[in-house]
Each structure stands twice: as structure tokens, then as C-alpha cells.
Amino acid sequence: MRATILNCTLKPSPEPSNTDALAELVAAGLRELGADVRTIRLVDHDIKPGVSSDMGDGDEWPGIREKILNSEILIMASPTWVGHPSSIAQRAIERMDAMLSETGDDGTPVAYNRVAGVVVTGNEDGAHHVISEINGALGDIGFTIPGQAWVYWNMGPGPGPSYSDTDHGHQYVHQVAGLMAKNLYAVAAALRDRPIPAEIPRGED
Amino acid sequence: MRATILNCTLKPSPEPSNTDALAELVAAGLRELGADVRTIRLVDHDIKPGVSSDMGDGDEWPGIREKILNSEILIMASPTWVGHPSSIAQRAIERMDAMLSETGDDGTPVAYNRVAGVVVTGNEDGAHHVISEINGALGDIGFTIPGQAWVYWNMGPGPGPSYSDTDHGHQYVHQVAGLMAKNLYAVAAALRDRPIPAEIPRGED
Amino acid sequence: MRATILNCTLKPSPEPSNTDALAELVAAGLRELGADVRTIRLVDHDIKPGVSSDMGDGDEWPGIREKILNSEILIMASPTWVGHPSSIAQRAIERMDAMLSETGDDGTPVAYNRVAGVVVTGNEDGAHHVISEINGALGDIGFTIPGQAWVYWNMGPGPGPSYSDTDHGHQYVHQVAGLMAKNLYAVAAALRDRPIPAEIPRGED
Amino acid sequence: MRATILNCTLKPSPEPSNTDALAELVAAGLRELGADVRTIRLVDHDIKPGVSSDMGDGDEWPGIREKILNSEILIMASPTWVGHPSSIAQRAIERMDAMLSETGDDGTPVAYNRVAGVVVTGNEDGAHHVISEINGALGDIGFTIPGQAWVYWNMGPGPGPSYSDTDHGHQYVHQVAGLMAKNLYAVAAALRDRPIPAEIPRGED
């Protein structure tokens, strides 16, 4: 099983990223289950605005798209800015919009039979909404969202510390990140064994 | 395979419900695939405010909850009011919140290995958000959300006709409702054959 | 200046309400500024489902609606359930939907020249989204939303204590609640002195 | 009175922008009332990712920020992508996040006593949510959101034409855009005459 994590932090490498630190817990859980996991920090790449799979002229999205489509598991990892997914996360989602009209060999949309989950950090409230926003978009495109396939960290009320600044809640997120890895892996495996068919035979049960 | 549709219209029976009319397209698609489908119009029942599975004293939620847990497929069908899921839909979600701490025989949360989808009508814009809101909540509770497992109808901009008032877009929703039924059924079947385990053996691929 | 607080907790009186406790900070701030403030716990009243101002037959909304329209300031105070405003808050918003087509003596919608703010509690993340959802609806109906006219309390990550269980963040919310009261009062006063006109004379500056 | 419109289309100049076409209706309404209006197409500028007012090194945000702060009225005009504000809109909001800690001469946050509104286009459902998302962020930062200060256009259900492709709903949006202009102008004028004070004298009414 292969997993791609898109780290949607606003901070370019080599700045430390809280989002990366939290996503690494999920990556570790997936690796323990036998998955290959790679992480791409999107802000380090030139991803052009637009809604096609290739916007030409230095656009680095095509290579990232290929990695997504070589994986059974997609994880969007985003900071919370003003209560929303980051502009980098939204940029990636806009580019994935093109997948709506792209189909694989069996005629189903390319995102079918892939699963997705969300990792969210923040120095303030907003994570559940970020999860709903990203999953809403990915479900639209065709990804399946396993139950409880997310992990988040923040500490309210009001602006507070970042994930890496404190130990508060770390035990909780370790546990939830492990659960997320398990659920992503299990549903990806179920869909590998019994994929959504192009057509379902009628009258079956 | 069994499916329960919660119709979250604000209109009590026997008033005609646009939401019901649209949900019936999905029900028909599921029945063609061999599923048993029942629909509950929640507003006809006394569902007490609260976040426990039984609020006592005339509360009709326990019987509805049992039907949900006897089904592999849950469909929330909601009108759009001021851009949101209806208060009836939110009431049902609040009551399902109790499922977060309820587990089945194998120790996994009761919503695991069940799938969910959303049907939305409206006389104005808002459907995608209603879908994200409901799916965000159901995913939190443990339901798996198959890709493209929703159908909606509205006609903007501004206040417009209701679904049953016009033929506009009916061909589109017939097609999308069929796709929704297929995807719900296929992912439910995959999870029946290979459920999310209580524990995953390490090192597997 | 008069203010009405709609407490949208799921808990009937006389159960203590965290939402009420937080809303009282704002009420105190408004009273210090000279405002009359009353709080209505909506769950204690029979508010029928629907989108008309009077659903007949025991419906207690008409009396509540009158209090809202006798006030220059409206405050919706809601707990966070599964990341959303409570079903009680959504019920109130649905009933206010009727105001979209109701106008006052000068021909402007009844909500014009009134201001609104939001109070949110929770034992988990979600407050910013609850604020956006409620303000989105109220702005649609015609209320003006002053900048920084909200206060929230929760403590993440994951399920945590309720507002009244701890002192964590209380100093922060006292300060923010005072700011909210000030901003609501100031914008309400500005609109009282210089209301949105039915028609604006052209070419003015 | 001065107004700045941030056009958050993904399409660089000179490509025609549906969002621009709809925003121009509001601009025309504001000009009729005597306002100076300028529009900035953000995608034509290099706006660096980050949450400071100046990210250095070719960052064009500082000049745009200055225009926003020279205006009493801010309009965010965004297309709808996968149900969300565009990545360009979110980028602008992230950069305005820095305003949370910036104050003017009187000690109030720089966004105070400014008003904001939203214009949304799309070839599919999502506008009300885009409005709530953007207004939620701007209210957080300190802008006041007048009632009914938005206009949107889309035509559901499912993917449909763009605003400039059809006459459907154009009469509606002309009327709503005029109302939006009036409400933005009126509340901006009220706050110019009677601004939110740094401190409110106690006991006033």
C-alpha cells in the first residue's frame, strides 16, 4: 500500500512545520502497517493557479498529481488560518478538480477506490471545519473517506501555543493518529480487494 | 444489504416533501441493486434535544437509532435552510453523537463498517455545504463516506422553484442519484467482506 | 439600547448551562454600557419546525420574535455539537428566515439597522465555524455584524472540560466578551443615529 | 468614500473574468452613490504565502494592503471552486491575518470602522458558504459586515454555465448588487460619522 501526504503549511523548507510533525505520527502508523509513505511540502513547489492537470510553463503540479495517483491513500495535512484550510491546501484541491472528468482504464473516475484523510494543526480553534472542508472537496472528486480518518491539534480558547511548543494533548493525538492510520489502511485494503465496479450486477445481495 | 433514509424535512406528513421526492431516486437505485430501503420522516417523531441515546419520557429516538444500526447504509436527506442542514438533521446528528462512545461486539465503534451519503434539496444555493456539514459529522462518528455518494438539487441564483415545481435538472439528478446508490452499495459491500478490524496485524501488505 | 440573548443550549432549565455562563459575561458588559439585556433559553419553549413567523397551535416563536424585534442587539449563544451550531440555534434561524420578506414602516427589511453577535461554548473544537454559520445566516436576513462581535470558549485537542469545569482561558474570555459588548453597542448606536435608508440620495459623499 | 475590490479569480489578465463582470455591478452601484472604486486582480500580483504584512523579496502584498487601508469599503470577489473560496481569496485572507495585531492612531485595530462585502460567481452551487467563509474571516479581523452586503450568481443543479454565458438570473443579480452597494455605503457612512470608539463612556444610552 502506498500513501502520499501533502503538507500544506505556508512555511517553505527548511523551516520546521508543526503540520509536518503531526502528520509524521500518521506516517509512522502507516509504515508500521506496511505502507510506503512519502510527504510532499507543497509550498516548496511552483503550483500554478488553475483547474487543469497541467497549467504549463514551469507548473510542478503534474509530478505531484502522478504521485497522488500512484497511491491508494491520500492525506491532506493543513494548518488552520483564520479558521480555514490554508491557501496551499485550497490550491491543491483546485488542481485536483480536474480529476472530476478523468477516468481510469475501467471507466471509473481516477479518484475512485482511493481513500483520503486529513491532519490539522493550528494555534487556534478551527480543525473540525478544516476537516469537513477538505473531505467535502475530496469526496466530491471521488475519494472515499473512512470513518475517523483524521487527527488534529490545537489548544483554545483564543490564540495559543503551536503543537511543537507544548506537550499538552500529545498523548491524545498519538492515539488518534494511530487510529487514523489503521482506518485509512483498512478501507484502502477493502477497496483494493473489492473495488467499486464500473457497473454493479443488478439484483445481487 | 439494508439502507435507512432519514428525511429531515421540516414538513410533517402528509405534506409532500421535495426532499423525499429526491431521496426516492436513490432509494429506487438501491432497491434495483437488491437492498432493502426504508425511509423515516423524522419530523413526524418526537426526538428530544440531547446527546444521549435515550432521553426518556416519550423520546422516539431509541427506535430510530435501532433502525440505523440495523442498516449498513445511512442516508441523511435534508432541505437547505439559510444555507445549512435543517434543524431536524442537526437534531439527528446530535443524537448520533452518543455513538462516539458506543462499541459493538468486536470493540469497534458502532458506526464502523457502515457507509453514509447525503441528499439535499433547496430553493436556493447551499447544497455542497450541507453535504460537507453532514458528512463531517458522520465521519467524526465513524461512518465511511464513499466518493460521490451524494445528490442535490437547487436552481440559482436567488430564491427559485422547488424540485417538484420544475423539470429543470431532473435528468442530471437521476443520473447522479443512480451513481450515489451504486457507490454506497459497493463500499458497503467491500466493508462487509473485509471490515475494519479491531486490530490490524502489523507488517501486512 | 435593548439586547436579546437567545441561549441555544440543549439543556432545559434549571440545568446549569455553560453557554449561559459565557453569555452572561457579554450581558454584563452590555449592562455596564447602559443596555437592557434579557436572555431567553429557547429549549424551554415550544418552537415549532417551519419557516413562517407563526406556525400556530401552541407555537411560542411569535412572542420570542417580538422580543428580537424590540431589540437593537441580538446575540445567539450556542453550544458546539459535532462542530455545528445546536439544533436549537438552527431552529431559531429557520424561524427568522421569514424576516426575509417582512419590512418595517420605512420599507426596509425588519432586521436592518439591528446588529448581531455570537457566543459559543464547547467541550471541543468548532467555535469559529459556529460563528461563521450563524453570522452567515443572520447577515443573509439583514442583521449587521460588527467586527469582533463574538466570544468563544473551548479547550482542545479532543474532548475536554466544559467552560464551568475549569479556569483555563477565563481571563481571555472576560476580555473578549467585554470587547464584543463594546463593538455591538457602538455599531448599534451608529446605526440608530444614521440608519440604513430606504433609499440613498445619489451623488452624495 | 473609497472602495477596494479584490478580484480573486484564478485567471490572469487579460482573460475575461466572470467574477469581475459581477463585481462591476457592485462597483457601478457604489460609483453612483459617489464612491471611488478600484479593482485589483490579485492573481496578476506576486503575493507570497505567509501571515505577515510584508514577506519581503518581491512580495507585492504591501502595496495591496495599503490600498485596503486607504478604503472604507472592502469587497472580496471570488469564484467558487469545489464549494470553497478560491486559493487566491484564502491567500489574501491569510495576509490580512496580520491586521489582527495592528492598530491605528486611536489604538483600535486597523480594520475597525471599515465595512466588507462579498461577490461570488460559480458554475455550480456553493456561494452562500463562500460568503460565510469570507465574512467569518473578515469579521474576525475586525471588519463590520452590513446586512445583505453580498451578491452571487450560479445556476444549479450540477455543473452549469458561467455568469457571462447566459442571461439567466441577471435581473436578480442587478437588483441584489444595487442593494449590496447601498448597504455597504450606508454602514460605512454611519461608522465614519460615529466610529467604534477606543473606549466607550460607561452608563451612556
Side-chain angles (χ1 to χ4, degrees), chain B residues 106-130:
Chain B
D106 68 348
T108 59
V110 290
Y112 272 40
N113 299 313
R114 301 177 201 282
V115 301
V118 183
V119 172
V120 187
T121 50
N123 64 354
E124 200 174 344
D125 170 276
H128 277 90
H129 181 53
V130 171

Side-chain angles (χ1 to χ4, degrees), chain B residues 156-170:
Chain B
S162 294
Y163 172 65
S164 306
D165 296 340
T166 170
D167 285 336
H168 173 80
H170 280 222

Side-chain angles (χ1 to χ4, degrees), chain B residues 46-128:
Chain B
D46 187 4
I47 302 174
K48 303 288 188 198
V51 289
S52 300
S53 283
D54 189 344
M55 297 298 294
D57 188 24
D59 183 20
E60 297 184 44
W61 178 254
I64 296 164
R65 177 183 170 278
E66 200 182 319
K67 290 193 177 71
I68 294 170
L69 295 183
N70 278 334
S71 302
E72 290 80 18
I73 299 171
L74 171 66
I75 294 170
M76 301 277 293
S78 179
T80 306
W81 286 114
V82 200
H84 305 169
S86 76
S87 56
I88 305 284
Q90 176 62 14
R91 178 68 50 89
I93 287 169
E94 286 164 359
R95 299 304 301 274
M96 283 192 269
D97 189 71
M99 295 182 184
L100 272 167
S101 52
E102 296 170 349
T103 50
D105 295 340
D106 68 348
T108 59
V110 290
Y112 272 40
N113 299 313
R114 301 177 201 282
V115 301
V118 183
V119 172
V120 187
T121 50
N123 64 354
E124 200 174 344
D125 170 276
H128 277 90

Side-chain angles (χ1 to χ4, degrees), chain A residues 124-126 152 154-158, chain C residues 22 80 120-128 152-156 158 160-163 168-169 172-173:
Chain A
E124 200 173 344
D125 170 277
Y152 82 93
N154 66 42
M155 182 182 173
Chain C
L22 188 56
T80 306
V120 187
T121 51
N123 64 353
E124 199 173 344
D125 170 278
H128 278 92
Y152 83 93
W153 189 95
N154 66 40
M155 182 182 172
S162 293
Y163 172 64
H168 173 82
Y172 165 78
V173 296

Side-chain angles (χ1 to χ4, degrees), chain D residues 72-92:
Chain D
E72 290 80 18
I73 299 171
L74 171 66
I75 293 170
M76 300 276 293
S78 178
T80 306
W81 286 114
V82 200
H84 305 169
S86 76
S87 56
I88 305 284
Q90 176 62 14
R91 177 67 53 87

Side-chain angles (χ1 to χ4, degrees), chain C residues 1 32-33 112 132 139-140 143-145 147-148 150 182-183 185 189 192-194 197-198 200 202-205, chain D residues 1 32-33 112 136 139-140 143-145 147-148 150 182-183 185 189 192-194 197-198 200 202-205:
Chain C
M1 208 74 83
E32 258 190 71
L33 294 166
Y112 272 39
S132 287
D140 219 32
F143 289 88
T144 287
I145 314 295
Q148 300 187 337
W150 48 265
K182 188 191 76 148
N183 292 349
Y185 194 99
R192 186 187 51 193
D193 287 5
R194 182 166 175 160
I200 282 195
R202 300 316 196 187
E204 168 204 21
D205 192 329
Chain D
M1 208 73 84
E32 259 190 71
L33 294 165
Y112 273 38
D140 219 32
F143 289 89
T144 287
I145 315 295
Q148 301 186 336
W150 49 263
K182 187 191 77 146
N183 292 349
Y185 194 98
R192 186 188 50 193
D193 287 4
R194 183 167 173 161
I200 282 194
R202 299 316 194 189
E204 169 203 22
D205 194 331

Side-chain angles (χ1 to χ4, degrees), chain C residues 4-27:
Chain C
T4 294
I5 299 176
L6 301 180
N7 179 0
C8 303
T9 177
L10 303 182
K11 298 179 201 154
S13 298
E15 278 189 69
S17 154
N18 290 293
T19 306
D20 189 59
L22 188 56
E24 269 309 300
L25 300 183
V26 185

